[in-house]
Amino acid sequence: MTMLALWSYTVDSGRTEEQDLTGWTVEAADGTVGHVDREAAPHGMRHLVVDTGVWVFGRSAVVPVGAVTTVDPAERRVTLACTRDQVKDAPRFRTDSETMNHEYLSAVGDYYARLAARGTTPA
């Protein structure tokens, strides 16, 4: 997966531009992660902010949209190519301002790109 592809939905994900994913369930390869709190695209780095609820002690996670494999409008569900632990182990999201910070988003992108390089997320 190229770094640019990390920040774009795959053509076959089922995502359409008019869809607002806020509130949709987020599923990893091995179970529910949480729900979409919001979507943002600063610096062309489109990502989801996922509220993990109590699963990761109430913290949120930033996931590049390139990790999304399926968007299911009937179920209001977003499926990721990674596991729950991989989402949990991503660079820690602390403040809302980080979703606008190029350096932080680059670190998130590097993390997910390494997963793709190891073959743990689709290319």
Side-chain angles (χ1 to χ4, degrees):
M1 177 182 293
T2 68
M3 190 59 77
L4 182 59
L6 274 174
W7 307 109
S8 302
Y9 287 97
T10 61
V11 175
D12 60 351
S13 71
R15 170 69 161 75
T16 61
E17 282 302 315
E18 67 274 359
Q19 286 173 317
D20 178 5
L21 304 179
T22 304
W24 289 33
T25 300
V26 179
E27 292 280 333
D30 58 351
T32 301
V33 175
H35 69 273
V36 177
D37 186 49
R38 67 185 174 282
E39 184 175 356
H43 315 291
M45 301 167 125
R46 185 176 247 178
H47 61 273
L48 302 175
V49 176
V50 179
D51 180 348
T52 63
V54 296
W55 173 65
V56 188
F57 306 111
R59 83 172 218 214
S60 294
V62 172
V63 178
V65 298
V68 172
T69 57
T70 308
V71 175
D72 183 346
E75 297 290 326
R76 293 179 48 85
R77 180 176 41 232
V78 175
T79 304
L80 304 178
C82 49
T83 67
R84 291 167 45 121
D85 280 345
Q86 289 170 328
V87 172
K88 181 178 153 187
D89 292 343
R92 186 162 177 100
F93 171 75
R94 293 177 190 84
T95 65
D96 282 343
S97 64
E98 286 177 319
T99 64
M100 303 299 281
N101 181 292
H102 189 272
E103 185 176 304
Y104 169 75
L105 292 174
S106 292
V108 169
D110 289 344
Y111 172 79
Y112 281 93
R114 283 192 307 276
L115 292 179
R118 290 194 321 238
T120 56
T121 62

